Amino acid sequence: MAYVTIRDVAQRAGISVSTVSRALNGRGRISPETKKSVERAVEELNYIPDSRAQAMRSSKTKTVGLLVPDIRNGYFADLAYAIQDTLFKAGYCTFIGTSSESVSLQDSFITSILSQHIDGAIIVPQGEYSDALHLLNTRKLPVVFVDRTAQGVEGVPLVDSDPMPGIREALNDIKDHGFAKVGYVSGPILDSPSLQGREYAFRDLAARIFGEEHVFVESTSFNQASCASVLKRMRQSGVDALIFGYSPDAIRAISLLTYAGEQVGKDVSIVSFDDLEIFRLISPQISVISQQVQEIGRRGAELFLDMVDGKRQSQSQRVETIYIPRASVGQAR
Amino acid sequence: MAYVTIRDVAQRAGISVSTVSRALNGRGRISPETKKSVERAVEELNYIPDSRAQAMRSSKTKTVGLLVPDIRNGYFADLAYAIQDTLFKAGYCTFIGTSSESVSLQDSFITSILSQHIDGAIIVPQGEYSDALHLLNTRKLPVVFVDRTAQGVEGVPLVDSDPMPGIREALNDIKDHGFAKVGYVSGPILDSPSLQGREYAFRDLAARIFGEEHVFVESTSFNQASCASVLKRMRQSGVDALIFGYSPDAIRAISLLTYAGEQVGKDVSIVSFDDLEIFRLISPQISVISQQVQEIGRRGAELFLDMVDGKRQSQSQRVETIYIPRASVGQAR
């Protein structure tokens, strides 16, 4: 038997289960000798009270499920770190799962988490309203969405970023560098309302700043090939300044351009969403639209903790994006 | 009440809890009508059988705890992805926790995981033998260490990499480029037997290839400042070729050198452990000693699954390191 139960403790101490239970919970009258022998048995057997039983007493297991699409993506790694750090300081343990941008993996994690009796979940959902999200919703457990929402889900508060301020600044910087046309690579937008929101914000702002006929927008799927063909079409349209809504695409594009012998900041100017470490390390450094991921993570975790404490509900929050200009936007030729 | 219990199902179906239990477990005689009404109630209430109860029946919860030091470190993100991917294909859900290289965070995660009744754990341990590691060990749950072991722990199989082949190739490459001296930055080695093993391997091989008086070794702590002072002392000793045992140090050093106007591959030659994406994206690309992290993750997960199935125990495995030469090692001046 891998798990030590209260029965094992009772047997070792030579007393009844109910007496052990009373000793552990500090309820009823227990002699000091009995208490001591229970403590000794607990120590000898390394007994950990079942969290389920604890949960039934306190309604809290002090565990939170956190679901992110892909921890190999630096943005989500930073987000998970910020959330976990805030929750740990509040005494919570975080179980991280990843969905690999797949609804079935997401649902498998949520179902597993639900059967473990956690206090709630913080989730970066896949775009569609799935069975497991429905389950989570009907359980009335505290749930917070971060980064993006799921279509058709109501009543779950969302902490995300407002793409407008950062995109506006980036477009103005590109215009100030003499570019007449601007392109936007919006990423795999189908399942992500956040990526869709960024694209809408870009279309709206770019049309006003550059004029609709000088604005080019294309989406990609999750691979290098789709990124390469988008890049090719953009260049053929005479677009030398690009904003990437999805940072893995920007990383792919930089790699493709370098391989083709083109210089970022000279031949092609680039701005990417997300202030990843890699964008500060490569030369030239890449101008970014930062979502302030630490802030999103911290606020998401705090909103969750407030919901657990019954303080407030459904107060979605937006963090402003910030543009950080660097050397990857050069003068237009 | 956030959680639907078997009692709620019984109430909704209008029958006794024991009848519901028998219907759900397929035991005893149940009329088709009763079975149907139980199924209807289960569906209407979105009842998920308690994993604890399921575990008591099947001894399996199909969940695994995975503890890594820091998912913001690309090596551990890749490792966690490979482990989770292998386990998911075998029908297991992975709960990832991070220790931030802290023993107390590690112990908090292990204690939390233990009280949730998981099938076992895959762990990148902190160097010392902690209370929670002891607990995990005495529970006789399947546990596998990956990447490094913990001092004083016996009987837990380890999947890690053999540093010798990769370091030997890297040293020969550096020598072939005309360098007479070589430096090794071993990272924060105190709590990591793996980092210590790499340093020993380096000292041994470098003394043989370069001669002991031409070999320089320094460790760092987890910050930019210690990396900067090590770099400075190495250069003052006339060392222009460096191998980094800990990739975050290499990233810090590249950033410091670039900032100081020094060219990697010309002024300073660099080799780092771990074939991270960033080392392929920056210019010049960085020569690496790859631990074949996907292979370590896959083998660690498979060893764990074998232990859960009772197939074998304690068969530690080593994956060979591979040297991948790139442009960051240039000709000595």
Side-chain angles (χ1 to χ4, degrees), chain A residues 9 18 46 48-49 56 73 97 103 114 152 178 186 227 230 253 292 294 308:
Chain A
V9 175
S18 64
N46 292 315
I48 296 181
M56 282 165 74
N73 176 331
V103 173
L114 274 178
S186 49
C227 191
V230 165
Q292 304 199 70
Q294 277 81 9
V308 169

Side-chain angles (χ1 to χ4, degrees), chain A residues 2-3 46 50-52 63 72 81 84 96 98 112 115-118 135 138-139 251 255 278 281-282, chain B residues 2-3 46 48 50-52 63 81 84 96 98 112 115-118 135 138-139 251 255 278 281-282:
Chain A
Y3 288 105
N46 292 315
D50 179 15
S51 69
R52 176 69 203 289
T63 48
R72 293 173 307 168
Y81 181 85
Q84 183 213 243
I96 306 171
T98 80
S112 182
S115 70
Q116 293 277 355
H117 296 267
I118 51 151
L135 257 182
T138 53
R139 287 299 181 96
I251 294 171
S255 164
I278 191 168
L281 287 172
I282 60 181
Chain B
Y3 288 104
N46 292 315
I48 297 182
D50 179 14
S51 69
R52 175 71 203 288
T63 48
Y81 181 85
Q84 183 213 244
I96 306 171
T98 80
S112 181
S115 71
Q116 292 278 354
H117 296 267
I118 50 150
L135 256 183
T138 54
R139 287 299 181 94
I251 294 171
S255 164
I278 191 169
L281 287 172
I282 60 182

Side-chain angles (χ1 to χ4, degrees), chain A residues 253-254 257-258 262-270 284 286 327-329:
Chain A
I254 292 162
L257 289 166
T258 307
E262 297 207 83
Q263 271 193 287
V264 172
K266 283 192 177 148
D267 302 313
V268 184
S269 287
I270 280 178
I286 306 299
S328 67
V329 176

Side-chain angles (χ1 to χ4, degrees), chain A:
Chain A
M1 182 66 185
Y3 288 105
V4 178
T5 67
I6 195 164
R7 255 170 259 281
D8 301 320
V9 175
Q11 203 168 19
R12 171 72 64 115
I15 50 179
S16 74
V17 169
S18 64
T19 307
V20 173
S21 172
R22 272 183 289 136
L24 291 173
N25 295 316
R27 278 201 294 267
R29 273 187 299 174
I30 302 282
S31 75
E33 291 75 35
T34 307
K35 200 165 188 304
K36 203 162 280 179
S37 71
V38 167
E39 283 167 359
R40 203 179 311 121
V42 162
E43 206 185 305
E44 285 169 5
L45 295 169
N46 292 315
Y47 171 68
I48 296 181
D50 179 15
S51 69
R52 176 69 203 289
Q54 288 183 320
M56 282 165 74
R57 283 196 298 278
S58 73
S59 301
K60 300 269 171 67
T61 58
K62 291 275 178 185
T63 48
V64 184
L66 168 62
L67 186 76
V68 292
D70 188 353
I71 49 168
R72 293 173 307 168
N73 176 331
Y75 168 76
F76 290 120
D78 287 346
L79 183 66
Y81 181 85
I83 289 172
Q84 183 213 243
D85 191 48
T86 308
L87 291 175
F88 183 73
K89 282 171 186 153
Y92 282 77
C93 186
T94 306
F95 292 162
I96 306 171
T98 80
S99 63
S100 301
E101 302 278 2
S102 129
V103 173
S104 77
L105 249 138
Q106 161 185 281
D107 286 9
S108 147
F109 179 77
I110 292 175
T111 310
S112 182
I113 275 285
L114 274 178
S115 70
Q116 293 277 355
H117 296 267
I118 51 151
D119 291 336
I122 300 178
I123 290 176
V124 181
Q126 299 309 310
E128 35 183 296
Y129 191 39
S130 68
D131 289 347
L133 283 175
H134 176 71
L135 257 182
L136 206 58
N137 218 6
T138 53
R139 287 299 181 96
K140 300 207 171 58
L141 275 179
V143 176
V144 171
F145 285 155
V146 284
D147 181 71
R148 47 171 114 142
T149 190
Q151 282 148 16
V153 180
E154 276 168 36
V156 175
L158 166 70
V159 178
D160 70 351
S161 68
D162 176 5
M164 296 290 261
I167 292 178
R168 184 185 296 113
E169 289 297 304
L171 285 166
N172 284 329
D173 190 38
I174 287 169
K175 193 174 175 83
D176 289 347
H177 279 82
F179 291 95
K181 292 178 180 180
V182 65
Y184 185 77
V185 185
S186 49
I189 61 168
L190 276 183
D191 285 338
S192 170
S194 282
L195 292 186
Q196 287 159 21
R198 283 176 209 168
E199 186 185 302
Y200 296 146
F202 172 85
R203 282 183 189 277
D204 180 32
L205 293 163
R208 281 192 262 161
I209 297 171
F210 284 82
E212 211 163 324
E213 68 279 22
H214 300 123
V215 172
F216 299 79
V217 177
E218 291 222 39
S219 62
T220 56
S221 40
F222 292 102
N223 59 60
Q224 184 99 351
S226 76
C227 191
S229 58
V230 165
L231 211 55
K232 197 175 164 192
R233 282 194 296 276
M234 286 279 184
R235 306 300 305 285
Q236 282 169 347
S237 308
V239 178
D240 297 328
L242 292 166
I243 298 180
F244 289 85
Y246 180 68
S247 53
D249 277 343
I251 294 171
R252 288 184 190 115
I254 292 162
S255 164
L256 287 163
L257 289 166
T258 307
Y259 192 76
E262 297 207 83
Q263 271 193 287
V264 172
K266 283 192 177 148
D267 302 313
V268 184
S269 287
I270 280 178
V271 174
S272 178
F273 257 76
D274 300 334
D275 189 19
L276 305 185
E277 181 185 48
I278 191 168
F279 293 141
R280 296 185 296 265
L281 287 172
I282 60 181
S283 177
Q285 293 188 323
I286 306 299
S287 306
V288 295
I289 296 165
S290 166
Q291 298 191 69
Q292 304 199 70
V293 63
Q294 277 81 9
E295 187 67 13
I296 293 177
R298 192 181 59 75
R299 286 209 211 167
E302 284 173 355
L303 182 58
F304 175 83
L305 291 169
D306 282 350
M307 286 174 75
V308 169
D309 291 344
K311 273 189 205 156
R312 53 176 167 162
Q313 270 198 321
S314 302
Q315 296 190 331
S316 291
Q317 294 184 36
R318 299 209 104 176
V319 176
E320 289 217 335
T321 48
I322 290 173
Y323 178 61
I324 303 172
R326 296 187 185 127
S328 67
V329 176
Q331 288 302 320
R333 286 174 303 188

